[in-house]
Amino acid sequence: MLVTDGVITRVEPGLGTDGQVLNAAGMYVMPGAVDVHVHSRDPGFPEKEDFASLTEAAAAGGVTVVLDMPNTVPAVDSAGVLEAKAALAHSKARVDFGLWGLMRSSTTPDELEEMAAAGAVGFKAYLAYSFSLSRKQVLYAPGSEDPDLEPPADYGTLARLAPVVAHLGLPLAIHAEDPTVLAAFRRPLLTYQDLLESRPPEAEAVALSAAAAVAREAGAHLHVAHLSSALGLQAAEDAMAIGTTLTLETCPQFLLLSADDFDRVGPAMKMLPPIRTAADRAALVDGLQRGVISMVSTDHAPHTDEEKARPLEEAPSGSPGVQTLYLSCLQLAKDMGDVWLAPRWVSESPARLAGLENSKGAVAPGYDADIVVVDPRRKTRVAAHEMRSRQRHSAIEGKEFDFAIAQVYLRGEPVGQGSKAQGRMVRPALVVR
Ligand code: DOR
Ligand code: ZN
């Protein structure tokens, strides 16, 4: 392979020995991962994570692009906030990054257009989470009579704004939990079973089906974040069968774990939607193998080690995961009989979602030289205390993978511990329809 000015120019053997030569004999040379779902916490809660620690963890794990969710504080609900966040991220990022915009129930078409012009990769609607007007923050609660809490985006919001999103040619991502289903099952969370019963798979399936109907009517591309259930997968397949433009992402924790693991793992495993039954896990692995689920992201969502050590009810939801994305997927792919499925799930399909299919997601001439060298002769055991995230817990602590990440390059430059803030913002090629 020949790399010139950060771009792959030729991929063939025997290209000579001019310049810097790297020997990857016995290794897999794969495209860097594009993790379409991370939470940097920056700005807002840099003690949990910031763009430096997030992207160091990403680089160590072979993730060369992260797409950051808009629930930082202040939330990314306007072009001005997006531009300020972009400047902050640019000053710290070790890998490339893109930014999602937030769709609030009060968002206007102009705000969406301005965020798109400022480089948003798409828009995210949190169907079960309200918005604190004074704190400018997405809250993990559906809202109340409190006038400070703006109600979550709902199906009316989607119906009103999906045509605008379709016109901009960007994806509309949803956190697929229906608040009315959640309200019917609310209960104290004393056990993991309580958590499962309080967030039933119907919440995912209902939200997904309703949003899909709206998106189909508007001609918008619906993207479902962190798919977690067999019922949600069925709802998605039904919507796809009648022509909805729909992409699905699931996460390593839903593919590697089930509720049975909670006694061993504890609240590090608490996230929303929850890690469900062994049958849900099997359905998601099957959906991935069949290609219905086209990508794997992490929902890397750090909270402090101290917060996560609290009892189940009080522990916040979400766990770090960006550093173990590629290894998890390599193992799943190997177990399915083809390691090359992994770069499709973590690189090729996500790059397409982000509108980066001409520069990221492949090891081919004309593409950025974002390269991961994988050693299939070395094993890796997940030890959260060795992770680069600011938080040192992991839902998959102790898992063993038959691979190690040997070297990672961002636009031809090695990245890893101590590397500089060389990340750039990625922007989708905007095709206004
Ligand atoms: O578990 C979760 N954590 N689910 C979400 O929807 C949000 C995320 C976070 O930001 O912590
Ligand atoms: Zn998330």
Short mmCIF file of all heavy atoms in Angstrom, two decimals, residues 55-92:
data_model
loop_
_atom_site.label_atom_id
_atom_site.label_comp_id
_atom_site.label_asym_id
_atom_site.label_seq_id
_atom_site.Cartn_x
_atom_site.Cartn_y
_atom_site.Cartn_z
N THR A 55 -10.90 10.39 22.70
CA THR A 55 -10.26 10.06 21.42
C THR A 55 -8.94 9.30 21.63
O THR A 55 -8.51 8.60 20.73
CB THR A 55 -10.06 11.32 20.56
OG1 THR A 55 -9.38 12.32 21.32
CG2 THR A 55 -11.40 11.86 20.08
N GLU A 56 -8.34 9.40 22.81
CA GLU A 56 -7.20 8.52 23.11
C GLU A 56 -7.68 7.08 23.22
O GLU A 56 -7.04 6.15 22.74
CB GLU A 56 -6.51 8.93 24.41
CG GLU A 56 -5.53 10.06 24.21
CD GLU A 56 -4.39 10.04 25.23
OE1 GLU A 56 -4.11 8.99 25.84
OE2 GLU A 56 -3.80 11.11 25.41
N ALA A 57 -8.82 6.91 23.90
CA ALA A 57 -9.40 5.55 24.01
C ALA A 57 -9.78 5.04 22.63
O ALA A 57 -9.54 3.87 22.28
CB ALA A 57 -10.61 5.58 24.94
N ALA A 58 -10.37 5.91 21.82
CA ALA A 58 -10.78 5.52 20.47
C ALA A 58 -9.56 5.08 19.67
O ALA A 58 -9.56 3.99 19.06
CB ALA A 58 -11.48 6.70 19.77
N ALA A 59 -8.51 5.91 19.68
CA ALA A 59 -7.30 5.60 18.90
C ALA A 59 -6.72 4.27 19.34
O ALA A 59 -6.33 3.44 18.51
CB ALA A 59 -6.28 6.72 19.06
N ALA A 60 -6.69 4.02 20.64
CA ALA A 60 -6.10 2.77 21.14
C ALA A 60 -6.89 1.56 20.65
O ALA A 60 -6.34 0.47 20.49
CB ALA A 60 -6.08 2.78 22.67
N GLY A 61 -8.16 1.76 20.39
CA GLY A 61 -9.01 0.64 19.97
C GLY A 61 -9.24 0.54 18.48
O GLY A 61 -10.01 -0.28 18.02
N GLY A 62 -8.59 1.41 17.70
CA GLY A 62 -8.76 1.33 16.24
C GLY A 62 -9.95 2.12 15.71
O GLY A 62 -10.37 1.92 14.57
N VAL A 63 -10.47 3.03 16.52
CA VAL A 63 -11.57 3.90 16.07
C VAL A 63 -10.95 5.22 15.62
O VAL A 63 -10.37 5.94 16.44
CB VAL A 63 -12.61 4.13 17.19
CG1 VAL A 63 -13.67 5.13 16.76
CG2 VAL A 63 -13.26 2.81 17.59
N THR A 64 -11.06 5.54 14.35
CA THR A 64 -10.40 6.75 13.83
C THR A 64 -11.38 7.88 13.53
O THR A 64 -10.95 8.98 13.19
CB THR A 64 -9.57 6.40 12.57
OG1 THR A 64 -10.38 5.61 11.70
CG2 THR A 64 -8.32 5.63 12.94
N VAL A 65 -12.68 7.61 13.66
CA VAL A 65 -13.69 8.67 13.61
C VAL A 65 -14.72 8.39 14.70
O VAL A 65 -15.20 7.26 14.81
CB VAL A 65 -14.45 8.74 12.26
CG1 VAL A 65 -15.40 9.94 12.23
CG2 VAL A 65 -13.50 8.80 11.07
N VAL A 66 -15.04 9.40 15.49
CA VAL A 66 -16.15 9.27 16.44
C VAL A 66 -17.22 10.30 16.07
O VAL A 66 -16.90 11.43 15.72
CB VAL A 66 -15.71 9.50 17.91
CG1 VAL A 66 -14.85 8.35 18.42
CG2 VAL A 66 -15.00 10.84 18.11
N LEU A 67 -18.47 9.86 16.12
CA LEU A 67 -19.58 10.81 15.93
C LEU A 67 -20.20 11.04 17.31
O LEU A 67 -20.72 10.10 17.92
CB LEU A 67 -20.63 10.26 14.96
CG LEU A 67 -20.16 9.89 13.55
CD1 LEU A 67 -21.37 9.59 12.67
CD2 LEU A 67 -19.27 10.96 12.91
N ASP A 68 -20.11 12.29 17.77
CA ASP A 68 -20.51 12.58 19.14
C ASP A 68 -21.97 12.99 19.23
O ASP A 68 -22.45 13.84 18.46
CB ASP A 68 -19.62 13.69 19.72
CG ASP A 68 -19.69 13.70 21.24
OD1 ASP A 68 -19.60 12.61 21.83
OD2 ASP A 68 -19.85 14.79 21.82
N MET A 69 -22.66 12.39 20.18
CA MET A 69 -24.09 12.67 20.37
C MET A 69 -24.29 14.08 20.93
O MET A 69 -23.39 14.64 21.56
CB MET A 69 -24.69 11.61 21.30
CG MET A 69 -24.90 10.29 20.60
SD MET A 69 -26.15 10.53 19.31
CE MET A 69 -25.90 9.07 18.31
N PRO A 70 -25.50 14.64 20.71
CA PRO A 70 -25.69 16.06 21.04
C PRO A 70 -26.04 16.34 22.50
O PRO A 70 -26.28 17.49 22.85
CB PRO A 70 -26.85 16.45 20.13
CG PRO A 70 -27.66 15.20 20.01
CD PRO A 70 -26.66 14.06 20.02
N ASN A 71 -26.07 15.30 23.37
CA ASN A 71 -26.50 15.57 24.75
C ASN A 71 -25.35 15.99 25.65
O ASN A 71 -25.30 15.64 26.82
CB ASN A 71 -27.26 14.38 25.35
CG ASN A 71 -26.41 13.13 25.50
OD1 ASN A 71 -25.41 12.96 24.81
ND2 ASN A 71 -26.80 12.25 26.40
N THR A 72 -24.40 16.75 25.07
CA THR A 72 -23.42 17.45 25.89
C THR A 72 -24.13 18.69 26.45
O THR A 72 -25.28 18.95 26.12
CB THR A 72 -22.19 17.79 25.04
OG1 THR A 72 -22.63 18.17 23.72
CG2 THR A 72 -21.27 16.59 24.89
N VAL A 73 -23.44 19.47 27.29
CA VAL A 73 -24.10 20.63 27.92
C VAL A 73 -23.27 21.89 27.69
O VAL A 73 -22.11 21.92 28.09
CB VAL A 73 -24.26 20.38 29.44
CG1 VAL A 73 -25.07 21.52 30.07
CG2 VAL A 73 -24.95 19.04 29.70
N PRO A 74 -23.80 22.90 27.01
CA PRO A 74 -25.16 22.99 26.50
C PRO A 74 -25.39 22.00 25.35
O PRO A 74 -24.47 21.72 24.57
CB PRO A 74 -25.25 24.43 25.99
CG PRO A 74 -23.84 24.78 25.61
CD PRO A 74 -22.98 24.07 26.61
N ALA A 75 -26.63 21.50 25.25
CA ALA A 75 -26.96 20.54 24.19
C ALA A 75 -26.81 21.21 22.82
O ALA A 75 -27.02 22.41 22.67
CB ALA A 75 -28.40 20.05 24.39
N VAL A 76 -26.48 20.38 21.83
CA VAL A 76 -26.21 20.90 20.48
C VAL A 76 -27.54 21.06 19.73
O VAL A 76 -27.95 20.21 18.95
CB VAL A 76 -25.25 19.96 19.72
CG1 VAL A 76 -24.94 20.53 18.35
CG2 VAL A 76 -23.96 19.77 20.50
N ASP A 77 -28.21 22.18 20.01
CA ASP A 77 -29.53 22.40 19.41
C ASP A 77 -29.55 23.59 18.46
O ASP A 77 -30.61 24.02 18.02
CB ASP A 77 -30.60 22.57 20.51
CG ASP A 77 -30.28 23.74 21.43
OD1 ASP A 77 -29.23 24.40 21.25
OD2 ASP A 77 -31.08 24.00 22.35
N SER A 78 -28.36 24.15 18.17
CA SER A 78 -28.30 25.28 17.23
C SER A 78 -26.92 25.27 16.56
O SER A 78 -25.97 24.63 17.06
CB SER A 78 -28.48 26.61 17.97
OG SER A 78 -27.33 26.88 18.75
N ALA A 79 -26.82 26.00 15.46
CA ALA A 79 -25.54 26.07 14.74
C ALA A 79 -24.46 26.69 15.62
O ALA A 79 -23.30 26.26 15.60
CB ALA A 79 -25.71 26.88 13.46
N GLY A 80 -24.83 27.70 16.42
CA GLY A 80 -23.84 28.36 17.28
C GLY A 80 -23.23 27.39 18.28
O GLY A 80 -22.00 27.36 18.46
N VAL A 81 -24.07 26.59 18.92
CA VAL A 81 -23.54 25.62 19.90
C VAL A 81 -22.70 24.57 19.17
O VAL A 81 -21.64 24.17 19.65
CB VAL A 81 -24.69 24.94 20.68
CG1 VAL A 81 -24.14 23.89 21.63
CG2 VAL A 81 -25.50 25.97 21.46
N LEU A 82 -23.15 24.16 17.99
CA LEU A 82 -22.40 23.15 17.24
C LEU A 82 -21.01 23.68 16.86
O LEU A 82 -20.01 22.99 17.00
CB LEU A 82 -23.19 22.73 15.99
CG LEU A 82 -22.65 21.48 15.29
CD1 LEU A 82 -23.80 20.60 14.80
CD2 LEU A 82 -21.74 21.81 14.14
N GLU A 83 -20.96 24.93 16.42
CA GLU A 83 -19.66 25.50 16.02
C GLU A 83 -18.73 25.64 17.22
O GLU A 83 -17.53 25.36 17.11
CB GLU A 83 -19.89 26.85 15.34
CG GLU A 83 -20.30 26.67 13.88
CD GLU A 83 -21.01 27.88 13.28
OE1 GLU A 83 -21.16 28.91 13.99
OE2 GLU A 83 -21.42 27.79 12.11
N ALA A 84 -19.27 26.04 18.37
CA ALA A 84 -18.42 26.16 19.57
C ALA A 84 -17.90 24.79 19.99
O ALA A 84 -16.73 24.63 20.36
CB ALA A 84 -19.22 26.81 20.71
N LYS A 85 -18.77 23.77 19.90
CA LYS A 85 -18.34 22.42 20.27
C LYS A 85 -17.28 21.91 19.28
O LYS A 85 -16.32 21.25 19.68
CB LYS A 85 -19.55 21.48 20.32
CG LYS A 85 -19.21 20.06 20.72
CD LYS A 85 -20.47 19.24 20.97
CE LYS A 85 -20.17 17.76 21.11
NZ LYS A 85 -21.38 16.96 21.37
N ALA A 86 -17.47 22.24 18.02
CA ALA A 86 -16.50 21.81 17.00
C ALA A 86 -15.12 22.40 17.29
O ALA A 86 -14.10 21.71 17.18
CB ALA A 86 -16.98 22.24 15.61
N ALA A 87 -15.08 23.67 17.70
CA ALA A 87 -13.78 24.30 17.99
C ALA A 87 -13.13 23.65 19.20
O ALA A 87 -11.92 23.38 19.21
CB ALA A 87 -13.99 25.80 18.22
N LEU A 88 -13.94 23.38 20.21
CA LEU A 88 -13.43 22.72 21.42
C LEU A 88 -12.88 21.33 21.08
O LEU A 88 -11.76 20.96 21.48
CB LEU A 88 -14.57 22.60 22.44
CG LEU A 88 -14.28 21.83 23.72
CD1 LEU A 88 -13.49 22.71 24.67
CD2 LEU A 88 -15.58 21.38 24.38
N ALA A 89 -13.66 20.57 20.34
CA ALA A 89 -13.25 19.21 19.97
C ALA A 89 -11.98 19.26 19.13
O ALA A 89 -11.05 18.46 19.33
CB ALA A 89 -14.37 18.51 19.21
N HIS A 90 -11.92 20.20 18.23
CA HIS A 90 -10.75 20.30 17.34
C HIS A 90 -9.47 20.54 18.13
O HIS A 90 -8.40 20.06 17.76
CB HIS A 90 -11.00 21.41 16.31
CG HIS A 90 -9.99 21.41 15.21
ND1 HIS A 90 -9.05 22.39 15.07
CD2 HIS A 90 -9.74 20.51 14.23
CE1 HIS A 90 -8.28 22.11 14.04
NE2 HIS A 90 -8.69 20.98 13.51
N SER A 91 -9.59 21.27 19.24
CA SER A 91 -8.39 21.59 20.02
C SER A 91 -7.88 20.38 20.81
O SER A 91 -6.78 20.40 21.33
CB SER A 91 -8.69 22.74 20.99
OG SER A 91 -9.55 22.31 22.03
N LYS A 92 -8.70 19.31 20.90
CA LYS A 92 -8.33 18.18 21.76
C LYS A 92 -8.30 16.83 21.06
O LYS A 92 -7.69 15.88 21.57
CB LYS A 92 -9.34 18.05 22.91
CG LYS A 92 -9.44 19.25 23.83
CD LYS A 92 -10.42 18.92 24.95
CE LYS A 92 -10.72 20.12 25.83
NZ LYS A 92 -11.68 19.78 26.91
#
